[in-house]
């Protein structure tokens, strides 16, 4: 059933849902106003039935892609916290991703290794709102490459003296 052509209605509602979950929403009885243009008319001309409805907020799906990085061996721990939200998803306004766990790599034998990061989502009040997101990951790769060095033996010369000679000097180039 509908309002008479040219009529409109307003009412006050109770109920709201901000985070993941469901709740009831209903019209506050006695707040229905029916209008014929600019003139308010009595709702007694209508048989009004009030029914509740359900508001549902579902998780926002995001896919986080972690960075790929390569270093030359330097005896230091390395990590890459570069992240990108991919496949046309983004965080809600005012929200930010914060890395809370990361993968480190130091030696050639440690890699290549997936760049596994764990993130949480914080809102503008710095509250953890991760429960409202369905987060999946696409991991980049971390690797350490060998540092190349060249060793050159030192040269020396002797006048024959019937002794065994050796030279233990080398140069790193």
């Amino acid at each position: 059933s509908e309002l008479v052509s040219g009529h409109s209605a307003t009412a006050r509602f109770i109920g709201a849902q901000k985070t993941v979950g469901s709740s009831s929403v209903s019209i506050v009885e006695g707040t229905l106003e029916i209008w014929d243009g600019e003139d308010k008319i009595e709702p007694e001309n209508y048989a009004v039935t009030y029914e509740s409805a359900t508001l549902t907020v579902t998780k926002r799906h995001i896919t986080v892609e972690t960075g790929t990085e390569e270093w030359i061996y330097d005896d230091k721990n390395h990590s890459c916290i570069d992240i990108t939200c991919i496949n046309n998803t983004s965080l809600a306004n005012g929200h930010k991703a914060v890395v809370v766990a990361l993968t480190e790599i130091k030696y050639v034998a440690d890699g290549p290794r997936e760049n596994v990061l764990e993130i949480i989502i914080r809102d503008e009040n710095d509250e953890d709102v991760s429960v409202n997101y369905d987060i999946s990951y696409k991991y980049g790769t971390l690797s350490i490459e060998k540092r190349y060095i060249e060793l050159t033996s030192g040269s020396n010369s002797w006048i024959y003296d019937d002794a065994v000679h050796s030279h233990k000097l080398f140069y790193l180039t």
Side-chain angles (χ1 to χ4, degrees):
S1 57
E2 299 175 356
L3 293 173
V4 171
S5 178
H7 287 188
S8 62
T10 60
R12 194 164 44 94
F13 291 85
I14 231 175
Q17 186 69 32
K18 181 178 180 180
T19 59
V20 169
S22 297
S23 63
S24 179
V25 63
S26 57
I27 298 170
V28 177
E29 290 192 35
T31 64
L32 175 65
E33 294 180 347
I34 299 177
W35 299 84
D36 181 6
E38 293 185 19
D39 298 324
K40 183 176 162 184
I41 62 172
E42 296 300 321
E44 289 80 25
N45 295 311
Y46 290 92
V48 179
T49 303
Y50 294 93
E51 293 184 19
S52 294
T54 301
L55 299 175
T56 301
V57 175
T58 60
K59 289 187 176 196
R60 179 184 286 250
H61 176 76
I62 61 169
T63 300
V64 175
E65 182 174 30
T66 65
T68 293
E69 194 75 44
E70 181 179 294
W71 298 271
I72 302 294
Y73 173 72
D74 61 1
D75 198 34
K76 295 180 182 172
N77 284 319
H78 293 278
S79 61
C80 176
I81 60 170
D82 294 341
I83 58 173
T84 307
C85 290
I86 60 173
N87 49 335
N88 297 322
T89 59
S90 62
L91 302 176
N93 287 337
H95 291 191
K96 62 185 175 193
V98 178
V99 175
V100 294
L102 54 84
T103 299
E104 289 188 325
I105 189 169
K106 183 175 183 178
Y107 301 108
V108 173
D110 292 343
R113 177 182 288 176
E114 282 188 332
N115 185 16
V116 177
L117 299 177
E118 181 184 337
I119 66 166
I120 61 171
I121 309 299
R122 295 205 175 270
D123 66 11
E124 58 278 353
N125 299 317
D126 209 32
E127 296 291 324
D128 183 351
V129 293
S130 303
V131 69
N132 296 301
Y133 289 85
D134 174 26
I135 304 169
S136 61
Y137 294 89
K138 181 179 177 189
Y139 297 119
T141 304
L142 303 178
S143 60
I144 301 289
E145 298 298 318
K146 291 181 179 183
R147 177 177 291 275
Y148 288 96
I149 59 173
E150 184 176 311
L151 300 176
T152 304
S153 297
S155 299
N156 208 342
S157 62
W158 294 265
I159 296 175
Y160 176 76
D161 59 3
D162 198 31
V164 176
H165 297 278
S166 66
H167 192 66
K168 296 181 182 174
L169 182 66
F170 65 89
Y171 301 97
L172 183 61
T173 57

